[in-house]
Amino acid sequence: MAQHNLGTVISFEFVRTVTKLRFWIGTLSVPVIMAVVFGMIFLSNTSTSTAAEAQKNAQFSISYLDASGLITPADAAAFGAVPAASSAAGIRDVQSGAVDAYFEFPAHPETTAVKAYGADRGLFENGKYAAVAQAMLARAVAVKIGSPQLSRLASGSAQVDTVTYQGSEVSGGMNSVVPPLAFLVVFYGLVVLLAGQMLNSTLEEKENRVTEMILTTLKPTTLITGKVLALFMVGLVQVAVFASPILVGALFYRDAMRIPEFDASQLEFDPLRMTVGLLILVGGFALFTTTLVAIGAVMPTAKEAGNFMGVMIALIFIPFYSVSLVVSEPHSPIVQVFTYFPFSAPVTALLRNAFGSLGIVEAAVVIAILYIGAALMLRVAVRLFQYGSISYTSKVSIRTALRAGSRHAVAGPAEHPAEK
Amino acid sequence: MDEPVVHISGFRMDFADTTVVRDLSFDVRAGETFGFLGSNGSGKTTTIRALLGLYEPTAGVLHINGRPFKPEHGSRLGYLPEERGLYKKEKVMDVMTYFGRLKGMDRHSARQWSLAYLNRVDLAGKAATQVDKLSSGEQQKVQLGVTIMNRPELLILDEPTKGFDPVNRRLLMDIIGEQKSDGATVVMVTHQMEEVERLCDRIILLKDGTSEAYGTIDEVQNKYGGRIVRIRHAGPIPPSPHYEVTLEETNYAELSITDGTDEAAILRELMDAGLVIRSFTTTKISMEDIFIRVYGDHTQPPSSVPARAAAARGA
Ligand SMILES: Nc1ncnc2c1ncn2[C@@H]1O[C@H](COP(=O)(O)OP(=O)(O)OP(=O)(O)O)[C@@H](O)[C@H]1O
Ligand SMILES: [Mg+2]
């Protein structure tokens, strides 16, 4: 019976959401906005290459090894590059921090990729290694132009494989950051788009005065759980919609969308980070859903609930404002607070997970916090709904509602003379 | 059959520091139609909500079929709350099938039943209409339909006829009557005393949060004098142990007859006292009169308003 009712609630809630025009307007607006953003990236590609010029001139120490014989000591000196003793020594110098970068030019750079090893300077800076390696090669061959084979190199299109290090550990650079970061994007998209709906899902029974009919027909736990699960399914539909333009873009328009130093085929999907990201995403979504549902159960109208929603949305954006701190100093106290405070945890932990600064133990703790928090919130939401939502027009005192739920209650929802 | 369907004893309900219901006890028996009466704010809705587990009672026992009500017990309940409402943005048929399914019907029979019901209440063309596009009376019809889906064993109706025109009120009373003849136990809150007289087997009158009168309609009528005499007259009415003057105006009075007294004796007594009697009728005291007697006495200046107007004001 209860099982059957849960299914009934889920399908009713799900179907009535996805058959509304409003839902599709909201959902489809996200890919449209993304398309606009990609368009702007595409249009600004020219300015990005000037930025690359500036990076080429940025000073950093280089050691190199040249098997092609193209690079003369004078060429190297122009870039402040010194020859390395061996390949191993070059890499060791990067790891120890003695130099910023080590370039290994192969015997046939026209067919084989140049290898660039550099200290990890973050997403936007790591591109400079490849740019400078190319520039060195280009300058060296410029004098020997005339051979068609060499002019290709001179145009600066030799392939460079960049490897970056955090200390002696290989860091994936942007290619390993992007996939787990996608969970963060999805989290933002879901919460921003669905928050209103989560809040309204219990408010609606109140505003429409259906609570009494519902509460005498099925268990509040069944109702609330059904609503939360229906929201999950709605979320999945939205993720599918968000993902579709990315997939289409990646498959058909990869060239047009090329961001410098970004090649979709090079993305690294670290299984651990991806699993952690997914778990945090689901847990964070569950926590936000149950919390908003609980708030909805207490608030008399959507208008008053709106204020609370503002707070919740702010909570997910605050860690984002301090994103540079989260990325560069993951162990600072403030970042620690953000990591473990349940409502800022999803964003902070997803960011840190993407940048590889979330240890496995930390990840486990955060995930536990999110799932336990969501389970507790579900119980609170049920109780608030059960004992609070009959006071249709006044705000429920959380204390009385919770107390009413316990065995030796003093009273039902109270503290206000009735409506009439 | 002996166990009451609804059993309430020693029920007390406090909101913060006001006591709304105190020491209330009554039973509703299987198959009867029970009138739950009382003035505005006397605690009827509160009692129903506590009975259905929507409020936590401060004290007392409130049982349905021998135990506190829980929706998952699977007893077939039809509850029409005082605060009406349905999912406003959904279609009539969708809402009805949803509730039908929650009450244990399968999708197909829920749809069939709903179509037949909508037909019956003149809403056949509105199955695919969004609920908030219906008039409030039409919405109430849909809500009553949802309430009686799946043949409830116990119907609890909090002012079922409020907001209906006379024709639809009659239709509604008929529908409720059918439920009753189908064997449902009905608990009904109403302020329409003629409905009470037509439908109810037994009643309880709530005053200041506790029982003022409880029993069959006859028993309650007897408690309040049972029979009354209405006279059009001239001259002062003398006091007497055989009657009590319950209403006295310039040329009109109502007397409630003391138990065991014969009407003819009263007529003789009045004429002997020198009264001019223009008309003299005896009737059973109506529920409306009882209601006004119970709730209206300290608010009515008895000599200034005609009885009917007073009734309208009091109800
Ligand atoms: N949630 C509540 N909090 C505080 N007081 C309440 C609450 N609900 C009802 N009351 C009070 O309890 C009293 C009884 O209310 P109730 O709704 O039970 O009356 P009622 O008999 O149904 O009246 P009506 O005929 O007007 O529907 C009223 O005085 C009301 O102010
Ligand atoms: Mg009421």
Side-chain angles (χ1 to χ4, degrees), chain A residues 413-414 416-420, chain B residues 15 20 38-46 55 82 159 191:
Chain A
H416 10 253
E419 304 94 87
K420 297 169 215 113
Chain B
F15 286 113
V20 170
S39 60
N40 297 130
S42 56
K44 304 179 295 293
T45 301
T46 303
Y55 285 163
E82 180 176 51
E159 298 190 44
H191 294 299

Side-chain angles (χ1 to χ4, degrees), chain A residues 409-410, chain B residues 9-14 21 23-24 56-62:
Chain A
V410 178
Chain B
S9 80
F11 170 49
R12 177 193 174 93
M13 186 83 204
D14 295 344
V21 180
D23 195 28
L24 180 66
E56 186 101 353
T58 309
V61 173
L62 299 100

Side-chain angles (χ1 to χ4, degrees), chain A residues 1 4-5 8-9 11-13 16 19-20 204-205 207-220 223 227 386-387 390-392 404-416 419-420, chain B residues 13-16 45 48-49 52-58 69-72 74 77 79-90 94-95 97-107 130 143 146-147:
Chain A
M1 176 84 173
H4 148 90
N5 274 346
T8 307
V9 173
S11 76
F12 178 73
E13 297 285 339
R16 75 199 184 106
T19 50
K20 295 275 153 39
E204 195 191 359
E205 267 81 11
E207 289 202 311
N208 291 343
R209 309 280 196 261
V210 208
T211 316
E212 285 183 74
M213 299 266 286
I214 280 286
L215 280 181
T216 51
T217 310
L218 78 169
K219 280 193 337 188
L223 178 77
K227 279 173 176 288
Q386 183 171 14
Y387 289 98
I390 302 287
S391 335
Y392 290 110
S406 64
R407 271 296 92 194
H408 12 258
V410 178
E415 291 189 10
H416 10 253
E419 304 94 87
K420 297 169 215 113
Chain B
M13 186 83 204
D14 295 344
F15 286 113
T45 301
I48 290 175
R49 286 179 176 170
L52 295 177
L54 298 166
Y55 285 163
E56 186 101 353
T58 309
F69 175 79
K70 288 261 166 57
E72 62 268 30
L77 169 79
Y79 171 43
L80 182 68
E82 180 176 51
E83 294 272 8
R84 305 290 153 78
L86 296 162
Y87 291 94
K88 289 198 172 51
K89 297 289 171 205
E90 314 308 318
D94 292 347
V95 172
T97 14
Y98 179 49
F99 276 100
R101 299 206 65 204
L102 291 179
K103 287 166 181 242
M105 299 168 90
D106 63 62
R107 185 179 294 278
Q130 199 170 299
Q143 187 145 18
V146 167
T147 308

Side-chain angles (χ1 to χ4, degrees), chain A residues 227-283:
Chain A
K227 279 173 176 288
V228 169
L229 292 178
L231 282 166
F232 257 87
M233 286 169 55
V234 170
L236 282 179
V237 170
Q238 290 190 323
V239 172
V241 173
F242 299 166
S244 57
I246 300 177
L247 289 180
V248 169
L251 289 177
F252 299 109
Y253 301 103
R254 187 190 290 183
D255 288 344
M257 291 200 319
R258 195 179 57 210
I259 306 168
E261 302 312 311
F262 179 86
D263 177 358
S265 68
Q266 302 260 306
L267 290 180
E268 287 169 29
F269 292 86
D270 177 56
L272 181 65
R273 277 203 239 173
M274 295 305 281
T275 312
V276 167
L278 184 66
L279 287 173
I280 295 176
L281 171 67
V282 174

